[in-house]
Amino acid sequence: NAGVTQTPKFQVLKTGQSMTLQCAQDMNHEYMSWYRQDPGMGLRLIHYSVGAGITDQGEVPNGYNVSRSTTEDFPLRLLSAAPSQTSVYFCASRPGRVNTEAFFGQGTRLTVV
Amino acid sequence: AQTVTQSQPEMSVQEAETVTLSCTYDTSESDYYLFWYKQPPSRQMILVIRQEAYKQQNATENRFSVNFQKAAKSFSLKISDSQLGDAAMYFCAYRRKNSGYALNFGKGTSLLVTP
């Protein structure tokens, strides 16, 4: 049981480049979400999804796109990377039932130079 | 919108002693969940303990316990018999019960454990 898998674990991008952070879960969870973690800021919600084909914005969505074509995958796209997007990114999933906990991936450390 | 406040950026405790991490939150909801997560240097987010707002009894998990004061909107974490392995960032988090799709996190408290 792999849980929530994020790839890559580390990435360096140049300003203006695009890339996709991958997130996959094998637990058949309905809810998935992306957070970014910055020093002194905690984790802030970027986008979330409540099921295949359904996504919505969180607290800090600008500069990021998501899609949810399958239950398992929830990729996060940076269309034109900026230094302000240097951060650690976490993907999380949980079942759609109310009384459940979230499972987190190991995180992706992204540096934009 | 719900906000979660952790007013202690850093805390220090001696091994075997007890430490309390503070968390307050703001919400207009009556039913919700509160969590404490531990993030060691490995970066992994580890659930330490959770509390359901409608339960008056404070949650406990081995050496970890909470003091949940619903009227005061306070949710502190007490770590007893601190161990070197408890050193980590600790995040308090909130989630609505209805339509609670994701977590709202505080900014975290860095806990140092000294021998």
Side-chain angles (χ1 to χ4, degrees), chain B residues 82-109:
Chain B
S82 297
Q83 300 175 359
L84 294 177
D86 294 334
M89 281 291 291
Y90 286 82
F91 293 99
C92 179
Y94 167 101
R95 194 185 84 211
R96 293 167 55 183
K97 184 173 183 179
N98 295 318
S99 304
Y101 307 121
L103 294 159
N104 280 21
F105 285 91
K107 294 184 178 181
T109 295

Side-chain angles (χ1 to χ4, degrees), chain A residues 9-10 31 35 37 40-43 45 48 50 88 90 94 98-102 104 106-109, chain B residues 33 35 37 39 42-45 47 50 52 91 95-98 100-108:
Chain A
K9 288 187 170 51
F10 300 93
Y31 295 171
Y35 300 85
Q37 181 181 12
M41 297 297 293
L43 281 75
L45 182 65
Y48 65 94
V50 299
V88 178
F90 286 94
R94 74 174 181 91
V98 171
N99 190 18
T100 56
E101 66 177 87
F104 283 84
Q106 289 275 18
T108 296
R109 179 176 292 280
Chain B
Y33 297 97
F35 306 85
Y37 281 88
Q39 186 182 45
S42 67
R43 215 165 62 197
Q44 181 66 46
M45 294 292 288
L47 179 63
R50 74 175 184 181
E52 300 177 48
F91 293 99
R95 194 185 84 211
R96 293 167 55 183
K97 184 173 183 179
N98 295 318
Y101 307 121
L103 294 159
N104 280 21
F105 285 91
K107 294 184 178 181

Side-chain angles (χ1 to χ4, degrees), chain B residues 8 21 27 35 40 45 49 60 62 68 71 81 89 103 108:
Chain B
Q8 307 152 316
L21 307 184
T27 184
F35 306 85
M45 294 292 288
I49 200 166
T60 61
N62 301 315
F68 173 49
D81 186 26
M89 281 291 291
L103 294 159

